[in-house]
Amino acid sequence: MSKPTSVKTTEAVRDRLRVLARERGTTITELLEELAASQLTEAEQEQRAVEAAHELGVDYTEQLQDAGRSAWEKIRAHRDSAAA
């Protein structure tokens, strides 16, 4: 079992996490674990892009890599604007 630790945040964020966890019938810790597990790191995104290109039979060129990064930036921007 992992050793517990603390995460510093604002009271507003803590309160929102508490509400979200309660609505889902879980704890803040479990909610954060689920969130962390559901998000890809940049390295994981890159690896999946390479694998997808291979499965599609296309070369993973710098141009394709740039297009993929641009797509992720647009996804993040859209997600961030929807959350605001």
Side-chain angles (χ1 to χ4, degrees):
M1 184 171 175
S2 297
K3 179 181 173 187
T5 189
S6 298
V7 176
K8 292 192 181 278
T9 188
T10 64
E11 288 179 357
V13 170
R14 183 216 45 217
D15 293 345
R16 181 168 174 81
L17 289 169
R18 184 176 289 144
V19 169
L20 291 168
R22 184 176 55 243
E23 287 178 352
R24 289 167 173 76
T26 190
T27 66
I28 291 175
T29 298
E30 290 170 343
L31 181 68
L32 290 172
E33 287 172 355
E34 180 183 322
L35 174 65
S38 71
Q39 302 298 307
L40 297 175
T41 65
E42 288 184 16
E44 291 166 335
Q45 290 174 18
E46 186 73 16
Q47 182 58 38
R48 290 199 181 176
V50 169
E51 291 168 3
H54 178 74
E55 288 179 20
L56 294 170
V58 294
D59 292 331
Y60 191 67
T61 63
E62 189 172 328
Q63 183 179 9
L64 185 58
Q65 183 180 34
D66 290 343
R69 285 187 181 140
S70 176
W72 277 110
E73 288 172 13
K74 290 176 184 175
I75 289 167
R76 283 188 205 99
H78 178 72
R79 183 179 58 210
D80 293 345
S81 68

